[in-house]
Amino acid sequence: MIQFSLADLSERPADDPLGRPSMGWREGMSPEIVYALNRGCWSLGEAAEEHTVALFASTGDGTVRLAVAIERIEDAGEIDGDKKRAVVGTVLRPGHPVHDRYVGHRAPEQLNVTFRYVTAECRQVEASTGNVCTTGAKWIVTPDDGPEYIACGHHVTAPLGGSVPFRARPMR
């Protein structure tokens, strides 16, 4: 998962490679606008291509304002000779486990840099101890008869109870 910083809304230079009029965030902006203004231009290396989820958190209070399912990372031109890249993906909505876990809540890390690769915690309750699992979540699980959730490898089937059909896709 990649966590990006969202500063206060500000104007972009006229030579912005993505043609954006501004970047950042302010209260009341729709998720689509936040995504369009902040999906690039980042100095992302090849490691970014391994990730499937992006969080965008405000630098002021550290609250996640947007979650995106990453489809790919694309080239976005250059700024001052530095190659920039942009996230291409789908804005996650209420009801998606990543959205519900993070959007409106404190980000996994308070950033003093523009972005960082972070690990989501599983957060499933251990049946034997009642403790919350803090192992890194690796899967988005979709049961045939229930809501999606995220889990580590050990807890993929834990909330299902019996033999409930499900699909799991990787979360990075």
Side-chain angles (χ1 to χ4, degrees):
M1 190 164 53
I2 308 172
Q3 180 182 321
F4 294 97
S5 295
L6 288 175
D8 292 337
L9 190 65
S10 63
E11 289 185 17
R12 288 292 301 159
D15 62 349
D16 179 63
L18 296 177
R20 300 168 296 167
S22 58
M23 60 182 249
W25 172 88
R26 75 164 180 241
E27 193 69 46
M29 289 176 75
S30 73
E32 291 77 17
I33 297 297
V34 175
Y35 169 70
L37 295 180
N38 296 285
R39 67 182 199 87
C41 298
W42 303 97
S43 297
L44 299 172
E46 289 182 18
E49 296 171 20
E50 301 294 320
H51 295 268
T52 59
V53 174
L55 300 178
F56 293 80
S58 60
T59 55
D61 63 4
T63 300
V64 175
R65 304 297 175 180
L66 178 70
V68 173
I70 300 172
E71 295 165 12
R72 68 181 189 280
I73 304 293
E74 68 180 9
D75 290 338
E78 289 188 10
I79 296 177
D80 297 327
D82 186 22
K83 181 179 172 184
K84 300 296 181 178
R85 302 181 83 196
V87 171
V88 177
T90 303
V91 173
L92 299 176
R93 301 275 175 217
H96 188 283
V98 173
H99 176 282
D100 295 351
R101 166 87 52 91
Y102 294 106
V103 175
H105 302 283
R106 193 115 171 102
E109 297 188 26
Q110 182 65 33
L111 298 183
N112 56 4
V113 294
T114 56
F115 74 92
R116 177 170 289 153
Y117 302 115
V118 296
T119 301
E121 291 182 349
C122 173
R123 311 283 304 155
Q124 296 295 324
V125 177
E126 296 278 357
S128 60
T129 65
N131 294 331
V132 173
C133 178
T134 58
T135 301
K138 300 289 183 197
W139 301 98
I140 298 174
V141 182
T142 307
D144 284 357
D145 66 349
E148 289 185 313
Y149 59 91
I150 62 176
C152 65
H154 180 73
H155 290 109
V156 167
T157 60
L160 299 175
S163 59
V164 175
F166 68 93
R167 293 177 312 285
R169 60 190 186 278
M171 182 178 114
R172 299 180 293 275

